[in-house]
Amino acid sequence: DAGFFTYDPGFMATASCHSAITYIDGEQGVLLYRGYPIDQLATKASFLEVAYLLLYSELPSEQELLDFERVITTHTMLNENLKNFLDGFHYDAHPMAILCGVVGSLSAFYHESIDVHDPHYREVSAHRLIAKVPTIAAAAYKHNVGEPIMYPRNDLRYGANFLHMMFATPCTDYEPELLAEKALNLLFILHADHEQNASTSTVRLAGSSGANPFACVAAGIASLWGPAHGGANEAVLDMLHQIGDVSNVPKYIDKAKDKDDPFRLMGFGHRVYKNYDPRAKIIREVCHQVLEEMPGANSPLFDLALKLEEIALHDEYFVERKLYPNVDFYSGIIYSALGIPRNMFTVMFALARTVGWVSHWMEMMSDPANRIGRPRQIYCGPQQRDYVPISKR
Ligand code: SDX
């Protein structure tokens, strides 16, 4: 019992590690980053301010934040040879495939950063990943649309720099609207960390062997890509397009309840939250604001999402199983409104979650008691038996 939190022995028996970064109460729908409630951070802090908090466990002073922003900005460019690597991908490669491959290849360029036992280089690696993932993400998009890669600009804030790399071209400049930058800042904060989710556990397990941080984060990106995890935001938009019209909602609700039907209501349910995902509540409000203020935003999809949510939340199947909208249910609609294509939605999730991944990796690697992770299993195979020669099989 650590005073503030009383641990359930059953929970502790299954806990995979100790961590001081993020606290979730799934029953109460509580999410704290280093003790600060997510709704306060999402509406009051900048993404790099939250990144500093997750990395260094305290909110930065004004000078500390300026220094941190400067360090991140100076690492945003990529080694020029990486452009050749990017050019090698098939033109229609999924941006998550490009992100996974290029992030993993950073260990081939920043050799000194893979000395995981040197605290200085651990910190440099963390800064390099937070700084370069947006540049790689935007480059993956440019590769997909056949446009030249745009270099980062040191005069732009983190989110604005990413939007500029996404939508500017050598022929046309792009000045991100303040609302778009604010919406992105909030979405990045909401997606920054979430305790021991599948992708963060992947990064920690890979890192526990002493593997370099670029390879560990590439493993996290691969895990996040799955539709049951970070790939859900892209799957939600596919689902909404598949449903098409409010009149079809009851049919798809029935499909989601049918055990024999593989269809699940994407963006609903959670391994931990058996209450409303606090992030979904915040994103829902931002969705309303963005769609009201962004010209031509896709509000029919949002109206359909609201109707789907209303019907599901009154259906006993979902109520009994405590299935509520999660962080992925609305985020894709906002990304769409910002002009970000569906195949980039999970890349946006990975861009934000890189901060959580590197924070957990730094926490684990700075612990002298850290040992290689080695999950066990419940064996359900055959008992011991003797070899049978092939002539007798
Ligand atoms: C993220 O871990 C994290 O923290 C992840 C994340 C993060 O920030 O890192 O929060 C991000 O990954 C959010 C989740 C995104 N995924 C989706 O939206 C995909 C759709 N959701 C489902 O695939 C599912 O809800 C999971 C994968 C999220 C959870 O699966 P579980 O653990 O099987 O859910 P459960 O144990 O609560 O299920 C209880 C029942 C089961 O039915 P019964 O066996 O009781 O009859 O509810 C059913 C499930 O089949 N169920 C669903 C459902 N989710 C669960 N039925 C229909 N539609 C759904 N979406």
Side-chain angles (χ1 to χ4, degrees):
D1 181 343
F4 183 46
F5 299 114
T6 303
Y7 291 109
D8 158 13
F11 169 77
M12 288 309 288
T14 60
S16 58
C17 65
H18 287 80
S19 175
I21 299 174
T22 293
Y23 174 75
I24 301 172
D25 180 329
E27 294 302 326
Q28 301 303 317
V30 171
L31 171 55
L32 308 177
Y33 285 170
R34 298 284 191 186
Y36 293 96
I38 190 64
D39 57 317
Q40 293 181 27
L41 294 171
T43 50
K44 297 186 169 96
S46 73
F47 177 61
L48 284 186
E49 199 177 350
V50 171
Y52 185 98
L53 170 67
L54 290 171
L55 271 174
Y56 298 109
S57 72
E58 295 297 335
L59 284 168
S61 67
E62 202 158 349
Q63 190 55 49
E64 285 167 334
L65 182 56
L66 281 173
D67 294 343
F68 184 64
E69 288 168 345
R70 190 176 306 113
V71 163
I72 295 299
T73 300
T74 56
H75 281 307
T76 49
M77 271 222 307
L78 300 178
N79 183 300
E80 197 66 7
N81 290 332
L82 270 170
K83 284 175 69 176
N84 305 327
F85 184 20
L86 272 153
D87 287 343
F89 284 95
H90 202 259
Y91 75 92
D92 61 354
H94 194 291
M96 280 297 278
I98 297 174
L99 186 69
C100 192
V102 176
V103 168
S105 76
L106 294 177
S107 45
F109 289 85
Y110 304 105
H111 305 286
E112 79 289 350
S113 274
I114 60 178
D115 177 0
V116 298
H117 300 294
D118 181 325
H120 168 68
Y121 284 123
R122 284 205 296 266
E123 191 174 24
V124 169
S125 307
H127 294 162
R128 277 179 164 146
L129 279 159
I130 294 171
K132 295 182 191 304
V133 165
T135 310
I136 298 167
Y141 167 73
K142 286 301 198 186
H143 183 79
N144 254 191
V145 296
E147 290 178 4
I149 292 169
M150 293 303 290
Y151 286 86
R153 278 178 34 184
N154 290 0
D155 63 322
L156 294 177
R157 288 185 297 266
Y158 193 81
N161 205 1
F162 170 71
L163 288 170
H164 183 267
M165 289 188 282
M166 281 279 289
F167 297 122
T169 72
C171 325
T172 54
D173 202 4
Y174 171 86
E175 281 306 318
E177 291 180 47
L178 194 56
L179 176 65
E181 191 186 346
K182 273 177 62 181
L184 215 50
N185 180 74
L186 180 136
L187 286 168
F188 284 166
I189 290 172
L190 294 180
H191 287 83
D193 192 54
H194 209 242
E195 199 220 61
Q196 303 308 319
N197 56 87
S199 54
T200 300
S201 300
T202 300
V203 171
R204 289 185 79 116
L205 195 54
S208 70
S209 73
N212 76 73
F214 306 111
C216 297
V217 168
I221 292 168
S223 169
L224 184 76
W225 195 0
H229 189 11
N233 52 19
E234 183 176 348
V236 166
L237 263 286
D238 294 341
M239 174 186 73
L240 292 175
H241 281 286
Q242 184 184 358
I243 294 173
D245 183 81
V246 173
S247 59
N248 296 327
V249 167
K251 179 177 76 173
Y252 280 91
I253 293 272
D254 289 341
K255 277 169 66 68
K257 297 182 327 190
D258 178 357
K259 281 282 158 253
D260 298 327
D261 190 319
F263 178 80
R264 303 275 286 258
L265 217 48
M266 300 317 279
F268 266 76
H270 199 276
R271 293 297 276 122
V272 175
Y273 288 124
K274 300 311 170 189
N275 193 323
Y276 222 101
D277 182 335
R279 302 167 297 178
K281 281 183 188 167
I282 299 167
I283 291 188
R284 191 174 190 268
E285 287 161 26
V286 174
C287 230
H288 269 296
Q289 185 189 359
V290 166
L291 292 170
E292 274 166 16
E293 297 178 30
M294 298 284 286
N298 197 333
S299 57
L301 277 186
F302 184 55
D303 297 340
L304 178 57
L306 287 174
K307 194 66 187 166
L308 178 62
E309 177 193 26
E310 182 195 334
I311 295 173
L313 291 184
H314 290 88
D315 183 293
E316 64 173 9
Y317 172 93
F318 292 90
V319 173
E320 273 172 14
R321 291 166 174 79
K322 298 182 179 178
L323 300 176
Y324 296 93
N326 58 47
V327 68
D328 294 299
F329 188 63
Y330 291 107
S331 54
I333 297 169
I334 298 178
Y335 290 140
S336 285
L338 301 182
I340 294 167
R342 244 182 280 174
N343 68 359
M344 282 290 291
F345 290 175
T346 310
V347 171
M348 303 300 286
F349 196 147
L351 190 163
R353 188 53 55 89
T354 294
V355 164
W357 289 332
V358 297
S359 300
H360 280 271
W361 179 78
M362 290 267 281
E363 178 183 63
M364 179 180 69
M365 295 310 289
S366 55
D367 174 1
N370 169 49
R371 299 171 66 197
I372 187 167
R374 181 56 175 87
R376 293 309 308 274
Q377 64 177 19
I378 295 171
Y379 179 69
C380 53
Q383 296 307 307
Q384 185 170 325
R385 52 185 169 166
D386 294 329
Y387 179 80
V388 177
I390 194 162
S391 57
K392 293 189 175 168
R393 286 180 219 157

